[in-house]
Amino acid sequence: MSQFSVEDESELQSLLKQLLRSVSDRISAAPTAECAEEVLLHLEETDKNFHNYEFVKYLRRYVESSLEGVVEGGTRTLTRTDGQHAIGSGHDMLIHVVTCRTRESAEYQQMMQTLKSSMIMVVESLINKFEEDQLRKEEMLREQQHSQSSCQYNDTCSDSDSSFNQSYTFIRQEQLQALAEKLDSSKPREVRREALLVLCCAPPSDVLSCESWSGLRRSLCAALSEPDPDLSDKVLQFFAKSFSSSPLNVTREIYTSLAESVESSFLSHKLSFPSGSAGVDINSPEICSLLKQIRLMNDFQKEVTTFWIRHPEKYMEEVIESTFSLLALYHDRGSASSDKTLEPVHLLALLDIKATWFNKWMHGFYSRTVVLRLLEGKYRSLIEAALQHCIHYHESCQRLTDETPDPPSERQQTLGSIQRSVYTGKELEYVLLVHSLCVLGKLLIYRNGRKLFPIRVRTHKDPVSLTDLVVTLINIMYQHPNPPHGDGSHTDSLSPSSLVMEVLCVLCERTECAEECLHRTPVIETLLAPVVALLLGHQAKLKSPAVTLPLIADVLARIANTDGGFALFLHEKNLVVSHSERVSAAHVIVQFTQRLLSSLSESNVPHTLCGAFIFVCRQIYNTCEGLQVLRPYGLHKAVAAAWKKTSSLSERVVTPVPGADVGASTRQLSAMLIWEETLLDSLLNFAATPKGLLLLQVTGAINECISYMFSRFTKKLQVSRCEKFGYGVMVTQVAATAPGVVALQASGFVRALVVELWSALECGNEDVRVVRPKPTPMEPIDRSCLKSFLSLVNLLSTSQSIWELLGRQTLANKSEYTLREMPSSIPDLIDRLIVVNSDGKIHSLFHYEQSHTFGLRLLSVLCCNLDSFLLLESQYNICSMLLQSQRENVTDQDPSEGKFIIDSLSVERNHVLVRVSVIGGPSERTLPPRALQEGDNPYSWPMFSFYPPPPCYTLVPPKVPTGAQDPELSAFLASPKATKNEESWMETCRRLYRKCMTTKPSVLSGKVLADFLERVVAHLSSSATECFFSPAQYKAEEKSVNNAVLSSVEILGINACLRYGSHVQPPGDAAAHELTLLTKHIKAFLSTQRVQPSSQLITQQDGYPGHDWLTSTVFLIMAGDTRRSLSLLLNLSALLTSAFIWPARIHASVHVPVEVAASGIPPLYWCTAHYVEMLLKAEVPLVHSAFRMSGFTPSQMCLHWLTQCFWNYLDWPEICHYVSTCVVMGPDYQVYVCVAVLKHLQPEILQRTQSQELQVFLKEEPIRGFRFSNYLAFMEVLEKSYRNIVLTDMRSIRNPAA
């Protein structure tokens, strides 16, 4: 089939025509011929049906028949007799070589030459037939032109048509010159009509490039203003074709001509604006003609933005300026008459009511620059007019406030509902208002648009500023019409409230816009004016309060969600509520919300309105600073009371009986459930902060809230429309407390987390088709399991959560596990992944090494919390299990003679054993690395399978110079106790402490520090002003103390303390007995200070859960002297400081309310950690943001550090300075210490956040390089700024939930 026959050419012609018809839409959409050619060249890439076209199938068959022999011969030549490729084993290489040789063959060259010549003939034949058809159509048009009826110009005449359907004929310059003469206005109408018909068939590019175009242009513009609609319609048809097929350098001239024609028509007709009941009939000849022309201009305005960037800026500027010139027609020409004139902008607004053309022009920087430059200079009157329309509407609505029916509401409800032909003057004004609002709203988004303000308007003496405009818009929003039939949900996209809400929502989403436009006192005052009026018992100036008040709440919530708006709400006291007292917006909002909640049962307050204002409060109280402002109002109690009442009512909804109307009861139940969920959601958001979590716990609704959160969490729903993150941070915050983690377990969250982890770790994705084998993970924790690992770390971050989930729980330790048996709890997970001490457990794991490594990594993080480690060790003998595994992991059967096998598990076990066996700060211990080194000795650190660990892991602490003394401090300690002026004595003490800490911090150590602390605590406990709790009245018999029984956790804690003390502060030979005795004394004393347990929490059952690390710290400071240690601790128990630096002292204490004592949430969390988060956001915002992004919370880490007195994180001198600083400088310094530590760690925190290892880093790594002496000045700065807030709240410990 090398040659084409006549039949083949005919068939090819038919198939080509069929292909062109199939892709005609794509070709006609191309703006130029070059673009159309690109469409055809890339058709195979863009058209999924390409290979189904008959033309393509025909060509494929032709190529196969022509080159079949060449391809087969080449393939045989390149293939050996044994079936192996001669060139290589790659199938792709064979195809490449055969293809290259085929293209170089003579057969291929002949095929291409034949195909090319045949296609040229086919295309030429198609072109000839097309021209003959066009000439025949032109002849028929000329014959029928006299009998042709006058056709009306319809709405589709300005739409872009397909270029394949347009009747184009080539035309010579002489013909165009003749057409220009025939189109002269002096010629008869029939002659001009015939000329227009011919012109419509000519290519617009030829017409616009001819020498007589200027004359043609004048004639066409003149024809547009003719009363004969047939002529003007033909001109518009020609313009429409030109717009759809010509580039911008051509169409700009047509557009400017059209704009000039419209401008001339307005000036000549001098259309008056309708007044009274009169209206504008769009079917009248003058208005109809102008609407058609403006419609065509508007279509071009909206389409031109897609391609004008490809042309010089001057073309775009001509289009924009001609548009602005037309719209500013009567603004630049002062009218002597007092009659109002119909303007071009009125008709443009009718056609494009929401100013889509202006939105598109402002979208791109390329065009926006020109638009704003012209508006700033020559056409500023356009913005003045738009602003004037908004102000006029607002003032007219104010004048008609008492009139009914409301004219604006009537026209707004009927506008756009049905097709109409007559519009009254008031309706045209409203249409123009909508158009002006959309234009102004778009201007406010951009910086240079806002720079146009202030603007002078004729009716105002002072210029209108940005703030004035926003206030005017809000007042317009208040004119929302009364909903029909009392339907409060009635909304209309063209209502004043909807239009203004669109603008305000966009401004709220942009920080810079919100700062300049919304975060202003007059704006907040205007938004809250109806709320203040209702609070004072007055009538709010709202047309429809049921609709407008939720909109106000929506705007307030969006403003409160920004940093600037939040600060304005809290600190700007600009609202007068009663007795001329000025308060901040937050106080007004919460008071109104409480009023709504209390009125739910008394009046017909919509739930949506109440929920909307609760949501505004929620944006405030879900932050630490905001909760401090709203807490005195007890909003959590009001919301909880409403929830309890709603919950009881929903249970009482009558169950429909057969035959009864079920619609009403179903709707009632549905509304109740929605309202109940809204209240639960609002209560849940109190858990976003530590103190808020305490308030939630006190309400008794924490279990229901957590269950609700889990239902949304499993659906991966966002917290709300304002929060950028999901529930991860809130889950972490809740998991830090005993009641929170119990609620998480009851909701099913813990089980779901464990199952998800096991599925990722052991099961994999079974439903995913395996294309290639899964790569062996190189990291200890595979990326697929990292999220689950971090979630577990967040869940088990505190010792309280460990005690609640693992306390009194035994491990299964079964001899055999089925492969389908999945763990569903934390004890199950520990049994299967950590305590892998039998062959049955090993064989039950598909990926033993990977899964056990995961478990050991998790164990390492858990054991960083000393109390968590003591519980695991006391219940599961973790260390014995690890040592036994190490003994079994040797090269010889005899552990004493064999060498340890170095693998990932033995290295990980060695790391965990050193971590739990050796205590110390960054300069006091070293932890073996987890990675192997290159070379002959890949792991140089000694492993061990028996205690004690090798001494190389314990570092010699740096020697503290003993000779250096501070004379002034020594004299102060040697001086007799001052009883007259206690305040000046403490001031002197603090001054000396600052001096020593900043100049000679090493002085405050050893005996000097012990004497200093003993003297200060004794002085403070004897002072009536400093003694916060009742002085300790403790007298215990030695026999009863000696007979007291310590728990296994306490005994393990004592042993750990003694091991640490032997290196940093040797306490003496009888240290074990002395520390045990001290621990028993303190346990006996504190038992008298606790309430009887009424809670079901494990942490509340048997005294303080964990070891008393402050007691051990004081014991080491006092060099093992039990008497001095006990005396200091008893005196310390009377001070406020003890409630925060001594967790065991305040645990379930009688000194706090019963519900707080039974909550299981320590003051260390709901007070200290709360203020750490608050100060961190203000002082170290990058660290605060890093925590939010990681899903971790600063409160969890602070609770971890402070509970164990920074053991394992700071060196011994810094631990001593932590205790002394909090005792001497005040309990609020505990907050400042944590902020200083996090500030010190900021570079590492930011880096670890990016690598998703922030939690593990903060828990496993010590705080390197931190010195109290370097940060004491920073803490003093924090004290000056925040002591009044922090210390005041610490003193309210007796009633924190009030």
Side-chain angles (χ1 to χ4, degrees):
M1 189 180 172
S2 58
Q3 299 294 330
F4 283 95
S5 63
V6 177
E7 291 80 7
D8 293 333
E9 291 181 359
S10 176
E11 182 182 2
L12 195 59
Q13 185 178 5
S14 173
L15 295 177
L16 178 59
K17 189 183 296 184
Q18 181 182 354
L19 173 66
L20 292 176
R21 286 198 190 100
S22 301
V23 298
S24 61
D25 291 340
R26 292 168 175 251
I27 299 174
S28 61
T32 61
E34 291 81 3
C35 294
E37 184 178 348
E38 287 294 318
V39 170
L40 290 174
L41 287 175
H42 298 278
L43 195 60
E44 184 178 6
E45 303 168 13
T46 59
D47 192 344
K48 63 181 181 180
N49 297 319
F50 176 79
H51 293 282
N52 294 328
Y53 293 129
E54 294 299 326
F55 178 75
V56 176
K57 292 180 180 179
Y58 183 89
L59 290 181
R60 187 187 297 114
R61 289 195 300 269
Y62 176 72
V63 172
E64 289 175 354
S65 62
S66 301
L67 301 178
E68 183 178 8
V70 180
V71 173
E72 290 181 355
T75 305
R76 285 195 298 270
T77 304
L78 295 172
T79 306
R80 295 176 180 172
T81 57
D82 58 357
Q84 296 296 321
H85 302 151
I87 312 173
S89 60
H91 183 63
D92 292 340
M93 180 64 73
L94 173 65
I95 295 175
H96 176 70
V97 174
V98 171
T99 303
C100 291
R101 293 190 180 182
T102 302
R103 294 186 65 178
E104 294 171 358
S105 65
E107 290 85 347
Y108 177 81
Q109 301 299 328
Q110 181 183 358
M111 180 199 72
M112 290 301 297
Q113 185 177 0
T114 303
L115 187 60
K116 187 182 296 184
S117 60
S118 300
M119 286 303 299
I120 290 174
M121 294 174 61
V122 168
V123 172
E124 287 179 349
S125 176
L126 282 175
I127 292 175
N128 291 335
K129 287 186 177 181
F130 177 75
E131 291 178 349
E132 290 174 4
D133 292 342
Q134 293 304 109
L135 290 174
R136 191 178 301 108
K137 287 181 181 180
E138 184 179 348
E139 189 73 25
M140 291 175 64
L141 283 172
R142 289 178 180 176
E143 292 175 357
Q144 297 174 2
Q145 64 183 358
H146 295 292
S147 61
Q148 189 177 37
S149 60
S150 177
C151 61
Q152 292 293 323
Y153 181 75
N154 55 32
D155 283 348
T156 60
C157 66
S158 63
D159 294 340
S160 300
D161 198 5
S162 171
S163 59
F164 278 86
N165 298 327
Q166 294 172 359
S167 302
Y168 284 178
T169 57
F170 296 103
I171 193 166
R172 298 188 301 276
Q173 290 291 331
E174 296 81 7
Q175 291 175 296
L176 289 172
Q177 181 64 38
L179 287 175
E181 295 174 358
K182 290 181 180 180
L183 285 172
D184 189 82
S185 57
S186 60
K187 298 295 182 181
R189 183 182 303 173
E190 296 300 327
V191 174
R192 295 166 69 189
R193 183 186 294 115
E194 181 181 347
L196 281 172
L197 286 173
V198 176
L199 192 66
C200 286
C201 296
S205 56
D206 291 349
V207 177
L208 296 170
S209 61
C210 72
E211 298 174 357
S212 54
W213 164 241
S214 57
L216 270 172
R217 178 182 172 185
R218 288 192 298 272
S219 300
L220 292 173
C221 291
L224 278 176
S225 58
E226 289 284 342
D228 183 4
D230 191 29
L231 289 179
S232 60
D233 288 354
K234 289 293 186 293
V235 176
L236 289 177
Q237 287 179 7
F238 172 73
F239 283 174
K241 287 187 177 183
S242 302
F243 283 150
S244 65
S245 60
S246 304
L248 184 63
N249 61 336
V250 176
T251 54
R252 66 184 172 90
E253 294 190 11
I254 299 177
Y255 182 85
T256 54
S257 301
L258 195 55
E260 291 172 2
S261 172
V262 174
E263 184 175 339
S264 175
S265 297
F266 269 95
L267 291 174
S268 61
H269 291 306
K270 295 182 179 179
L271 302 170
S272 60
F273 192 84
S275 59
S277 60
V280 172
D281 187 359
I282 62 174
N283 289 330
S284 63
E286 298 88 353
I287 300 298
C288 183
S289 176
L290 288 172
L291 275 174
K292 290 176 181 179
Q293 296 176 54
I294 295 176
R295 161 72 189 277
L296 183 58
M297 290 179 62
N298 185 242
D299 286 346
F300 180 75
Q301 290 165 358
K302 291 184 285 189
E303 293 297 328
V304 71
T305 56
T306 59
F307 57 84
W308 63 9
I309 195 172
R310 298 196 292 266
H311 299 275
E313 186 179 312
K314 64 177 182 178
Y315 296 159
M316 176 184 64
E317 188 169 349
E318 285 184 28
V319 172
I320 296 174
E321 187 163 10
S322 62
T323 304
F324 287 171
S325 176
L326 173 63
L327 298 181
L329 177 60
Y330 292 106
H331 305 157
D332 299 333
R333 296 175 172 85
S335 178
S337 173
S338 60
D339 295 337
K340 193 173 179 181
T341 310
L342 187 68
E343 302 177 19
V345 70
H346 287 106
L347 299 186
L348 179 59
L350 271 177
L351 294 168
D352 188 2
I353 190 169
K354 286 204 167 184
T356 307
W357 66 276
F358 190 77
N359 288 339
K360 291 192 173 186
W361 285 12
M362 291 289 288
H363 182 70
F365 178 80
Y366 182 66
S367 56
R368 182 169 64 245
T369 306
V370 177
V371 169
L372 292 175
R373 174 163 49 82
L374 291 174
L375 289 177
E376 184 180 11
K378 189 175 179 182
Y379 298 103
R380 196 179 185 88
S381 60
L382 289 176
I383 307 304
E384 295 173 2
L387 188 56
Q388 180 67 50
H389 291 313
C390 296
I391 295 174
H392 173 71
Y393 177 82
H394 167 54
E395 293 174 348
S396 65
C397 287
Q398 282 185 325
R399 290 193 298 269
L400 297 173
T401 299
D402 300 328
E403 297 182 13
T404 55
D406 180 31
S409 67
E410 286 181 357
R411 58 177 180 270
Q412 178 262 320
Q413 289 174 21
T414 57
L415 204 60
S417 58
I418 56 174
Q419 187 134 10
R420 305 165 54 197
S421 60
V422 178
Y423 293 89
T424 65
K426 289 185 177 180
E427 288 172 336
L428 286 178
E429 286 180 351
Y430 191 81
V431 167
L432 187 54
L433 167 74
V434 176
H435 191 271
S436 301
L437 276 175
C438 295
V439 169
L440 291 174
K442 199 67 177 179
L443 278 178
L444 294 180
I445 296 176
Y446 302 103
R447 184 187 300 110
N448 290 332
R450 296 190 295 272
K451 285 182 180 178
L452 297 174
F453 292 84
I455 294 176
R456 286 194 172 275
V457 294
R458 286 172 293 177
T459 57
H460 280 63
K461 180 180 178 182
D462 298 325
V464 178
S465 64
L466 270 177
T467 303
D468 296 333
L469 172 58
V470 176
V471 169
T472 301
L473 294 180
I474 295 171
N475 284 319
I476 289 175
M477 181 178 71
Y478 292 166
Q479 307 307 318
H480 190 287
N482 288 315
H485 312 296
D487 181 12
S489 64
H490 169 75
T491 56
D492 190 325
S493 61
L494 298 182
S495 68
S497 56
S498 299
L499 295 167
V500 174
M501 277 299 295
E502 286 183 21
V503 176
L504 296 180
C505 289
V506 172
L507 295 180
C508 290
E509 291 170 358
R510 299 168 180 252
T511 305
E512 192 175 345
C513 297
E515 188 65 34
E516 294 185 29
C517 299
L518 300 178
H519 300 167
R520 295 290 182 266
T521 299
V523 174
I524 304 301
E525 288 178 345
T526 307
L527 280 170
L528 288 175
V531 176
V532 173
L534 291 172
L535 274 177
L536 296 176
H538 302 156
Q539 187 71 27
K541 296 181 179 179
L542 301 174
K543 291 287 180 63
S544 177
V547 176
T548 309
L549 283 173
L551 297 178
I552 294 174
D554 190 3
V555 177
L556 291 172
R558 294 173 188 270
I559 295 176
N561 194 48
T562 62
D563 292 337
F566 180 79
L568 190 66
F569 276 20
L570 292 189
H571 307 303
E572 191 71 24
K573 296 184 177 181
N574 47 31
L575 299 169
V576 178
V577 179
S578 62
H579 307 295
S580 301
E581 179 188 358
R582 304 191 75 86
V583 298
S584 64
H587 291 279
V588 173
I589 293 168
V590 70
Q591 289 176 29
F592 185 67
T593 305
Q594 284 189 313
R595 176 83 62 85
L596 292 174
L597 284 169
S598 62
S599 304
L600 281 174
S601 56
E602 302 172 4
S603 60
N604 191 22
V605 175
H607 290 164
T608 53
L609 173 60
C610 191
F613 273 92
I614 293 176
F615 187 76
V616 183
C617 295
R618 170 172 152 183
Q619 305 312 306
I620 301 174
Y621 67 66
N622 66 5
T623 64
C624 297
E625 187 180 7
L627 184 63
Q628 290 304 110
V629 175
L630 300 193
R631 184 165 58 97
Y633 291 96
L635 184 62
H636 61 289
K637 297 178 182 177
V639 177
W643 167 73
K644 290 175 182 177
K645 183 174 182 179
T646 305
S647 179
S648 62
L649 289 175
S650 64
E651 294 173 358
R652 283 188 244 160
V653 174
V654 180
T655 304
V657 297
D661 181 16
V662 298
S665 60
T666 303
R667 286 192 299 270
Q668 182 185 2
L669 180 59
S670 176
M672 282 287 184
L673 292 177
I674 292 173
W675 176 232
E676 185 179 354
E677 286 190 353
T678 301
L679 293 171
L680 273 179
D681 200 16
S682 303
L683 281 173
L684 173 63
N685 275 264
F686 278 99
T689 63
K691 191 180 289 291
L693 184 57
L694 173 67
L695 300 181
L696 175 60
Q697 165 67 10
V698 171
T699 64
I702 187 170
N703 290 330
E704 290 79 2
C705 288
I706 300 304
S707 296
Y708 170 75
M709 178 184 70
F710 177 61
S711 68
R712 292 180 60 85
F713 183 83
T714 53
K715 300 173 186 175
K716 301 188 184 301
L717 297 178
Q718 197 172 351
V719 178
S720 77
R721 64 177 181 271
C722 292
E723 278 80 4
K724 300 180 179 65
F725 301 97
Y727 283 101
V729 175
M730 195 175 294
V731 169
T732 307
Q733 197 78 269
V734 169
T737 64
V741 80
V742 169
L744 285 172
Q745 187 175 32
S747 69
F749 176 84
V750 176
R751 176 185 174 86
L753 179 60
V754 171
V755 170
E756 180 185 6
L757 165 65
W758 191 264
S759 300
L761 193 63
E762 279 289 307
C763 303
N765 297 325
E766 296 180 354
D767 55 340
V768 178
R769 182 182 177 186
V770 179
V771 179
R772 59 176 63 90
K774 187 177 180 181
T776 302
M778 301 302 292
E779 297 292 330
I781 298 178
D782 189 45
R783 300 295 296 181
S784 62
C785 306
L786 180 60
K787 182 179 179 181
S788 299
F789 177 77
L790 296 179
S791 298
L792 268 179
V793 170
N794 292 342
L795 177 71
L796 306 174
S797 177
T798 62
S799 59
Q800 285 88 344
S801 61
I802 293 287
W803 275 80
E804 292 298 336
L805 295 176
L806 293 176
R808 305 173 183 171
Q809 298 287 325
T810 59
L811 301 183
N813 277 326
K814 294 193 291 187
S815 59
E816 186 177 354
Y817 296 83
T818 64
L819 295 178
R820 293 182 178 274
E821 191 173 349
M822 295 180 66
S824 58
S825 64
I826 300 299
D828 290 348
L829 204 63
I830 292 177
D831 181 49
R832 300 291 298 277
L833 297 182
I834 296 178
V835 188
V836 187
N837 53 1
S838 67
D839 292 340
K841 292 183 181 181
I842 294 175
H843 297 154
S844 70
L845 298 175
F846 285 107
H847 312 101
Y848 162 64
E849 188 169 355
Q850 180 186 353
S851 298
H852 191 29
T853 302
F854 181 98
L856 292 174
R857 280 293 175 101
L858 179 62
L859 176 64
S860 174
V861 177
L862 297 183
C863 290
C864 293
N865 190 306
L866 293 177
D867 283 333
S868 299
F869 161 68
L870 295 180
L871 177 66
L872 292 171
E873 177 64 15
S874 65
Q875 290 191 168
Y876 308 131
N877 293 319
I878 294 293
C879 292
S880 299
M881 181 273 298
L882 295 175
L883 291 171
Q884 180 61 33
S885 297
Q886 291 293 76
R887 285 193 288 270
E888 294 172 356
N889 195 47
V890 293
T891 56
D892 198 292
Q893 291 184 355
D894 185 359
S896 61
E897 296 181 4
K899 294 183 178 180
F900 288 102
I901 298 173
I902 306 299
D903 59 11
S904 63
L905 292 178
S906 62
V907 169
E908 195 66 43
R909 280 193 293 264
N910 190 54
H911 180 92
V912 175
L913 282 169
V914 174
R915 180 178 292 280
V916 300
S917 303
V918 181
I919 295 178
S923 302
E924 297 163 349
R925 72 169 179 176
T926 183
L927 296 174
R930 292 181 166 112
L932 301 181
Q933 305 296 324
E934 295 183 0
D936 297 334
N937 189 8
Y939 193 76
S940 58
W941 297 86
M943 291 187 179
F944 61 100
S945 57
F946 296 96
Y947 278 138
C952 64
Y953 295 117
T954 303
L955 302 179
V956 178
K959 294 292 183 182
V960 179
T962 55
Q965 296 290 334
D966 184 81
E968 192 174 0
L969 179 62
S970 300
F972 177 75
L973 293 176
S975 64
K977 180 180 179 182
T979 57
K980 292 183 179 181
N981 197 342
E982 297 176 352
E983 188 173 343
S984 63
W985 189 90
M986 274 309 300
E987 287 301 321
T988 304
C989 178
R990 291 185 177 113
R991 179 181 58 80
L992 289 175
Y993 184 77
R994 292 190 198 97
K995 175 187 173 185
C996 291
M997 284 293 293
T998 53
T999 57
K1000 301 175 183 177
S1002 59
V1003 170
L1004 290 167
S1005 60
K1007 186 177 184 304
V1008 175
L1009 178 64
D1011 295 342
F1012 181 73
L1013 269 179
E1014 192 174 32
R1015 183 79 179 272
V1016 171
V1017 171
H1019 172 80
L1020 292 175
S1021 62
S1022 63
S1023 170
T1025 57
E1026 297 290 343
C1027 195
F1028 189 80
F1029 302 110
S1030 57
Q1033 304 293 331
Y1034 174 70
K1035 291 181 179 180
E1037 297 181 1
E1038 186 175 351
K1039 182 179 180 181
S1040 62
V1041 171
N1042 288 329
N1043 292 335
V1045 179
L1046 297 180
S1047 67
S1048 57
V1049 169
E1050 291 170 319
I1051 295 172
L1052 289 171
I1054 290 173
N1055 294 334
C1057 173
L1058 295 175
R1059 289 199 306 272
Y1060 182 45
S1062 64
H1063 297 290
V1064 296
Q1065 189 88 356
D1069 297 334
H1073 172 72
E1074 295 294 328
L1075 181 54
T1076 302
L1077 184 62
L1078 176 63
T1079 304
K1080 290 180 178 180
H1081 274 291
I1082 295 300
K1083 186 175 182 179
F1085 165 67
L1086 293 180
S1087 64
T1088 65
Q1089 301 281 307
R1090 295 196 176 108
V1091 297
Q1092 292 299 320
S1094 59
S1095 172
Q1096 298 300 317
L1097 299 174
I1098 295 177
T1099 53
Q1100 300 293 102
Q1101 298 299 316
D1102 301 318
Y1104 178 69
H1107 181 66
D1108 189 347
W1109 297 103
L1110 181 77
T1111 297
S1112 296
T1113 304
V1114 170
F1115 178 77
L1116 294 181
I1117 291 176
M1118 294 299 172
D1121 190 324
T1122 299
R1123 183 190 59 80
R1124 292 182 67 188
S1125 301
L1126 180 60
S1127 174
L1128 188 144
L1129 288 169
L1130 291 176
N1131 289 332
L1132 181 65
S1133 67
L1135 305 181
L1136 176 63
T1137 306
S1138 67
F1140 299 96
I1141 68 170
W1142 193 2
R1145 188 260 180 277
I1146 203 67
H1147 175 72
S1149 175
V1150 295
H1151 299 291
V1152 296
V1154 175
E1155 64 271 15
V1156 176
S1159 69
I1161 305 177
L1164 204 60
Y1165 179 76
W1166 54 257
C1167 190
T1168 300
H1170 178 86
Y1171 284 104
V1172 169
E1173 290 198 4
M1174 190 178 94
L1175 269 64
L1176 204 62
K1177 184 177 181 181
E1179 302 294 333
V1180 200
L1182 291 179
V1183 171
H1184 181 270
S1185 299
F1187 273 101
R1188 291 283 297 180
M1189 292 176 64
S1190 67
F1192 200 43
T1193 59
S1195 56
Q1196 274 189 319
M1197 207 58 235
C1198 293
L1199 190 61
H1200 182 165
W1201 287 333
L1202 299 174
T1203 302
Q1204 60 193 52
C1205 289
F1206 287 99
W1207 282 40
N1208 278 348
Y1209 291 98
L1210 293 177
D1211 291 332
W1212 175 247
E1214 302 306 318
I1215 293 174
C1216 296
H1217 291 161
Y1218 157 69
V1219 175
S1220 60
T1221 300
C1222 292
V1223 170
V1224 176
M1225 304 301 292
D1228 55 323
Y1229 265 73
Q1230 188 183 53
V1231 175
Y1232 314 144
V1233 166
C1234 293
V1235 176
V1237 169
L1238 291 169
K1239 180 181 175 67
H1240 173 76
L1241 293 173
Q1242 176 170 324
E1244 284 283 354
I1245 288 175
L1246 298 181
Q1247 180 182 348
R1248 302 291 179 160
T1249 302
Q1250 292 181 351
S1251 57
Q1252 294 185 316
E1253 51 184 1
L1254 177 61
Q1255 296 95 315
V1256 178
F1257 163 74
L1258 289 176
K1259 285 185 164 293
E1260 291 193 339
E1261 292 298 320
I1263 305 169
R1264 303 181 189 278
F1266 181 82
R1267 299 288 181 270
F1268 273 80
S1269 57
N1270 297 337
Y1271 282 92
L1272 189 61
F1274 173 69
M1275 297 180 206
E1276 289 181 307
V1277 173
L1278 295 179
E1279 176 198 346
K1280 292 177 182 178
S1281 302
Y1282 299 103
R1283 164 160 275 191
N1284 186 41
I1285 300 174
V1286 178
L1287 194 55
T1288 301
D1289 201 45
M1290 284 182 163
R1291 290 183 178 277
S1292 68
I1293 188 174
R1294 290 193 179 97
N1295 196 13

